[in-house]
Amino acid sequence: RAVEGGGGEEEEGRVTAAGLDTTRRLLQGCTSAMIAGQWRPTEQLVSSIFDEQLPSVVELLGMHGVLTQATQMQAHHVEATAREACAAQADALQGLLPEVELMLIRVQSCFDSADN
């Protein structure tokens, strides 16, 4: 990042230190549980679409006489595909969380080493 005002290396060092301090503060509040928590609202939203909204739309189409067998089959296919994708995403996230935790510990350790 270019530093205006020609403050030279000293000013650039303060900018770098401030950036590292900000990164450190952000990472101190970050945990693997927090990251997993970011997925849950999305998972709940997708579930509500397929548990509530899709069946409601299919029912309305049926009530208006415009529901075809092909549309009904496509709705079931989309539902199954989305549920499989959500399950795969949840499994992948669970497998990744221990690695994230380890990465956070390593980054914090680097900051701690720099302080000494």
Side-chain angles (χ1 to χ4, degrees):
R1 172 180 159 185
V3 178
E4 294 181 22
E9 287 181 29
E10 183 179 317
E11 186 172 336
E12 191 171 309
R14 284 194 303 266
V15 170
T16 301
L20 288 175
D21 287 342
T22 300
T23 301
R24 182 182 221 171
R25 280 194 311 276
L26 289 171
L27 288 176
Q28 282 176 337
C30 185
T31 64
S32 59
M34 182 193 77
I35 292 170
Q38 298 297 313
W39 164 246
R40 287 187 190 100
T42 302
E43 183 179 35
Q44 290 170 347
L45 179 62
V46 170
S47 289
S48 82
I49 289 170
F50 294 105
D51 291 341
E52 299 163 17
Q53 294 176 9
L54 183 62
S56 176
V57 168
V58 169
E59 183 180 337
L60 286 172
L61 290 172
M63 287 175 28
H64 292 291
V66 294
L67 180 64
T68 65
Q69 186 175 2
T71 302
Q72 198 166 13
M73 288 173 53
Q74 185 63 32
H76 288 296
H77 174 72
V78 168
E79 176 187 5
T81 302
R83 288 191 191 280
E84 288 172 13
C86 281
Q89 178 66 32
D91 288 346
L93 182 60
Q94 288 304 314
L96 188 60
L97 289 178
E99 296 297 324
V100 169
E101 194 67 38
L102 183 58
M103 181 225 28
L104 292 170
I105 290 168
R106 285 181 176 165
V107 170
Q108 185 61 46
S109 176
C110 288
F111 279 118
D112 292 344
S113 293
D115 287 343
N116 296 327

